[in-house]
Amino acid sequence: MTSTLSEENYLKAIFHSSRNSKEKVSITTLAASLENTAASVISMLRKLTAKELVDYDKKKGASLTTAGEKAAIDIVRKHRLWEVLLAEKLEFSWEEIHDIAEQLEHVHHPELADRLDKFLGFPQFDPHGHPIPDIKGNISKVSGKLLADSAIGIELEVVGVKDSSSMFLNYLKQLNIKIGSKLMVEQIIDFDQSAVIKINNSSIISVSRKFLESILTT
């Protein structure tokens, strides 16, 4: 069953929002994620329910059906494979690749993802540290933990980011933080749970709690 670009974005948003929970995704969460109104979200969920891609309950929210999850994983797989291609073969920077892959993920061809996967040598993670679904839809678990959960005074290595927006990645570029960078939390500020961190054993800066919750380390 063919889905529109907008429908695919909804499936992907539900997939990402429900990865760490068995609960249905609320209308409020989807509206914020997709930067859309609640009324528009409800209208689209009804369409996706009619296509048997989503299970929607007006009180509890939405979850993906088996068919919906398969479609969402296919989109995510293409997106992350495109990111690898853009970064490794076309030498785009990591703050550029997400927005380009957002467009390329909607290209449909039954063999496209598999050929990309083979051409790239079957990568397991994209340049942002996110796991790439394999041909069967299996997704590896990310072993990294949030910088927000690290102990003070322990040097950790950046293995991924939870926020792939160009704005955040540009900020990381300004700070000279990338996959493999070394970070150490030196102090947590009680007032707002922001922190003072050391980057690559040299520069020391203050960062927000949101920053700490957007970096995966090991």
Side-chain angles (χ1 to χ4, degrees):
M1 182 183 298
T2 302
S3 298
T4 66
L5 183 150
S6 181
E7 289 172 344
E8 290 183 348
N9 284 338
Y10 269 80
L11 294 177
K12 187 174 64 170
I14 297 170
F15 175 80
H16 286 313
S17 296
S18 61
R19 284 295 291 158
N20 298 314
S21 173
K22 295 182 180 180
E23 301 293 325
K24 289 182 179 292
V25 182
S26 70
I27 303 303
T28 302
T29 297
L30 283 176
S33 173
L34 294 159
E35 299 182 348
N36 218 331
T37 65
S40 295
V41 170
I42 291 170
S43 176
M44 177 59 77
L45 291 178
R46 287 172 175 164
K47 291 180 183 178
L48 293 171
T49 297
K51 288 189 172 186
E52 299 184 347
L53 295 171
V54 163
D55 180 11
Y56 167 58
D57 182 293
K58 63 181 180 180
K59 292 183 178 180
K60 296 181 179 179
S63 60
L64 297 173
T65 63
T66 300
E69 183 175 38
K70 183 177 184 300
I73 289 175
D74 181 60
I75 298 164
V76 170
R77 183 181 183 219
K78 285 187 291 184
H79 179 103
R80 294 177 179 174
L81 286 170
W82 279 122
E83 287 196 334
V84 175
L85 180 86
L86 289 164
E88 294 187 0
K89 306 300 181 181
L90 302 182
E91 299 183 352
F92 282 93
S93 60
W94 80 335
E95 71 272 14
E96 297 176 297
I97 59 177
H98 178 74
D99 289 344
I100 303 172
E102 284 279 297
Q103 302 172 59
L104 293 171
E105 70 186 23
H106 301 290
V107 177
H108 291 284
H109 187 284
E111 298 180 12
L112 177 59
D114 293 345
R115 291 197 182 195
L116 267 177
D117 201 9
K118 182 178 180 180
F119 174 71
L120 295 168
F122 306 102
Q124 291 186 301
F125 297 91
D126 72 16
H128 301 128
H130 301 142
I132 300 173
D134 66 17
I135 191 172
K136 295 181 180 179
N138 299 315
I139 304 176
S140 301
K141 290 185 178 180
V142 179
S143 58
K145 65 177 182 179
L146 294 178
L147 185 59
D149 297 330
S150 71
I152 293 175
I154 303 297
E155 186 176 72
L156 300 166
E157 181 177 330
V158 176
V159 295
V161 293
K162 291 194 68 178
D163 183 348
S164 299
S165 67
S166 296
M167 184 178 297
F168 182 62
L169 295 175
N170 272 315
Y171 180 46
L172 292 182
K173 184 178 181 181
Q174 292 173 19
L175 299 176
N176 195 30
I177 294 174
K178 55 189 176 182
I179 302 296
S181 292
K182 305 295 185 180
L183 302 180
M184 180 189 295
V185 176
E186 298 214 322
Q187 182 183 4
I188 297 292
I189 309 302
D190 291 336
F191 172 68
D192 60 1
Q193 294 301 296
S194 60
V196 175
I197 67 170
K198 180 180 286 187
I199 304 170
N200 294 321
N201 203 32
S202 57
S203 57
I204 298 175
I205 64 165
S206 295
V207 296
S208 67
R209 182 71 184 179
K210 184 177 181 180
F211 179 97
L212 299 174
E213 294 175 345
S214 299
I215 298 286
L216 290 169
T217 61
T218 187

